[in-house]
Amino acid sequence: MPVLLHRQAGPQIPDRIHLHLLSDSTGETLEMLAKAALAQFEDTDVMRHFWPMVRSKQHLERIVPELKANPGLVLFTLVNPDTRARLEEVCAQQGLPAVPILDHVTAALEKALGQEAHGRPGRQHTMDKAYFERVEAIQFTIAHDDGVGWENWEEADIVLAGVSRSSKTPTSIYLANRGYKVANIPLVVESPPPPALYSLKNPMVIGLTTAPERLVQIRRNRLLSLNEQAQTDYADQEKVKSEVAFARRMFADNGWAVIDVTRRSIEETAAAVIRLYNEREMRGTSQGAKPI
């Protein structure tokens, strides 16, 4: 008589999970961390519920029915002890995992700095000197895009140089949001950059380069999006190779740091720029060529 083997069923994986993000401020930090963590998982169907500016128990009580109706993971940054205690109580009653995502970092900083953290909601978004410096950086960067305003480049922290479509503008804007004043200039074989580029003292000049094959693809897609003819010198394989070689020679001749953006996202390119800039600041010396 055949023996029937019964396979034990494994844990059931839900088709969709609910992710509740509760913050006592704008929630920008919370959203960024959640997005970074979710990027580590593939084929996920996550329904996000975003609850910013939760600064009182009364506000939290209005959210509780939503937590009960859509049970899932709760991530929060709440510093008010009463509001936080109530959230943890509700989550415990409903069996919902609740994660205070900044606790470990704050505790480590308290230990390292030898002082207690200030429990002020939204403290990181206070309109202090750093806030206005970031606004100024954004305004400067927008006003000095694509080679404009070269007379003021000495005021910049960073100047990005590269051929057309090498991600100069989006990288500049991203860096500006981090508080860096950035100017950028396209390098064109037929139109040399202003002499001021070669005599800058304060800004760090960084060259952005990319694989010609990838650049051709990007430029052709750009032309097609504009309903223009893709078969032009702008997207010609040999012309593009010549442009990239021209830019690389300029970087080497001037001893500028170089970043290859071929396989980098804007965030990764910006991180590499910041690392180079910080290294120069720590050295306190003139920059040297450093391809990365």
Side-chain angles (χ1 to χ4, degrees):
M1 182 175 180
V3 178
L4 297 178
L5 300 178
H6 296 277
R7 179 185 296 177
Q8 186 174 2
Q12 185 176 2
I13 300 176
D15 295 329
R16 166 182 288 183
I17 69 165
H18 293 274
L19 180 62
H20 295 273
L21 307 175
L22 286 84
S23 172
D24 52 24
S25 185
T26 63
E28 180 182 348
T29 301
L30 188 58
E31 275 199 301
M32 180 178 65
L33 290 172
K35 182 178 179 181
L38 286 170
Q40 306 301 314
F41 301 91
E42 297 180 354
D43 301 324
T44 57
D45 186 6
V46 179
M47 176 65 72
R48 301 188 199 187
H49 304 267
F50 185 46
W51 312 103
M53 308 303 291
V54 183
R55 295 186 173 181
S56 67
K57 290 176 66 176
Q58 291 77 11
H59 187 171
L60 178 60
E61 293 300 335
R62 295 197 295 269
I63 300 171
V64 169
E66 294 293 332
L67 296 177
K68 294 179 179 179
N70 301 289
L73 176 61
V74 178
L75 306 182
F76 67 89
T77 53
L78 302 176
V79 297
N80 181 281
D82 293 335
T83 307
R84 174 174 173 150
R86 175 54 181 157
L87 174 63
E88 291 174 336
E89 179 187 2
V90 170
C91 289
Q93 291 172 348
Q94 300 298 317
L96 305 179
V99 182
I101 63 171
L102 292 181
D103 274 23
H104 290 303
V105 177
T106 303
L109 284 171
E110 286 181 332
K111 183 177 181 180
L113 298 172
Q115 58 177 290
E116 291 187 3
H118 295 286
R120 302 182 195 173
R123 183 176 173 85
Q124 71 272 34
H125 298 290
T126 302
M127 294 178 65
D128 54 9
K129 182 173 180 288
Y131 170 83
F132 290 105
E133 286 178 348
R134 185 171 67 154
V135 171
E136 183 182 356
I138 294 172
Q139 293 174 338
F140 180 92
T141 300
I142 292 174
H144 294 82
D145 181 43
D146 206 32
V148 175
W150 60 266
E151 302 90 346
N152 304 317
W153 280 354
E154 196 61 49
E155 300 173 21
D157 298 310
I158 299 162
V159 174
L160 300 180
V163 299
S164 175
R165 312 310 298 176
S166 56
S167 73
K168 298 182 301 300
T169 294
T171 302
S172 297
I173 298 299
Y174 187 93
L175 288 167
N177 277 278
R178 296 288 300 273
Y180 297 91
K181 290 183 178 180
V182 185
N184 74 76
I185 179 172
L187 299 180
V188 182
V189 177
E190 298 81 10
S191 178
L197 179 63
Y198 307 109
S199 58
L200 294 173
K201 302 298 182 184
N202 176 63
M204 183 176 193
V205 182
I206 297 177
L208 303 184
T209 188
T210 187
E213 298 78 12
R214 175 61 176 158
L215 189 56
V216 168
Q217 180 184 0
I218 292 173
R219 289 186 176 184
R220 285 178 178 171
N221 290 339
R222 173 63 174 169
L223 291 172
L224 289 173
S225 70
L226 297 174
N227 294 320
E228 296 183 11
Q229 176 58 251
Q231 301 303 319
T232 66
D233 286 350
Y234 182 68
D236 178 77
Q237 186 80 31
E238 293 305 316
K239 291 286 187 180
V240 170
K241 284 184 178 180
S242 178
E243 279 187 63
V244 173
F246 164 76
R248 281 185 170 274
R249 284 194 301 271
M250 183 181 295
F251 302 154
D253 290 345
N254 291 278
W256 296 333
V258 181
I259 298 175
D260 189 332
V261 303
T262 305
R263 294 179 177 85
R264 281 188 165 98
S265 65
I266 299 302
E267 294 85 354
E268 291 170 331
T269 299
V273 170
I274 292 171
R275 179 169 65 81
L276 288 172
Y277 180 81
N278 288 340
E279 287 176 357
R280 189 188 76 150
E281 292 297 294
M282 286 188 291
R283 289 195 308 267
T285 59
S286 60
Q287 59 185 303
K290 187 173 183 178
I292 62 175

